[in-house]
Amino acid sequence: NDGAYSVYAVVTADESSGNIYRNIFVDDGTGSIVLRLNNPGGIYEGDSIRIYLPGTKLSIFGGNTIEGGMMQIDSVDVDNNIVKQATQVHKEPEVVTIDQITYEMQGKLIKLENVEIVGGELCSTYADVENEQDKNVTLIDCNGNSIIMRNSSFANFADQTLPTGNGSFIAILDQFNETQQLKIRDISEVQLTGDRCTPGD
């Protein structure tokens, strides 16, 4: 973008857990988007920021429409493009059900309730730390709807055992090509401790 425009937004997810790298997610009150950072670090969840757009690129990663890719602001230089205006400005997640999720919600901080990890994937870990392999884990609700959570092997919770219960789950709605996927921002927001509604292995 060559115009001297700025966007004002609040950071809803940062790199602190290691599950998200060189990306931060922001919400300006009308929508959400991912910022692709040239260099990691320095911006945190709850920061209210001004994004100075010259030098950045607005594009769709993985496709030509938001159904086939992720809307992004690319080539963001934290030192030159971001001005931190306040901290501790936390956004509440939007409570939705899996079947209510749409492509227009990509980048949003959401909360699912009454969900659990599919039975066949229990007794495993969030990711494969030993082989440095990211992992897709399937989350389901009691009506059989499902969505993937994508976990990095570099996340600080990657070697933890997946929880076996039912409960609430807060995450960012990310997208890879046409696949919508959830990215945990902090393991404390995974509260799957209640009774399951489907059998576990």
Side-chain angles (χ1 to χ4, degrees), residues 102-176:
T102 65
Y103 292 108
E104 286 76 16
M105 295 169 62
Q106 61 175 233
K108 252 190 183 311
L109 179 66
I110 64 170
K111 181 178 184 180
L112 300 172
E113 296 173 333
N114 300 311
V115 292
E116 58 198 47
I117 292 161
V118 70
E121 296 178 16
L122 298 177
C123 304
S124 182
T125 56
Y126 281 92
D128 184 350
V129 176
E130 186 176 344
N131 296 306
E132 296 187 353
Q133 292 289 317
D134 296 354
K135 189 173 178 182
N136 289 341
V137 176
T138 304
L139 205 62
I140 57 170
D141 64 18
C142 297
N143 296 317
N145 300 301
S146 66
I147 190 168
I148 289 167
M149 64 162 139
R150 177 77 174 173
N151 305 314
S152 169
S153 63
F154 295 103
N156 58 13
F157 55 84
D159 60 351
Q160 291 188 31
T161 302
L162 292 168
T164 58
N166 180 293
S168 67
F169 188 98
I170 295 173
I172 289 286
L173 183 62
D174 195 10
Q175 190 169 315
F176 181 70

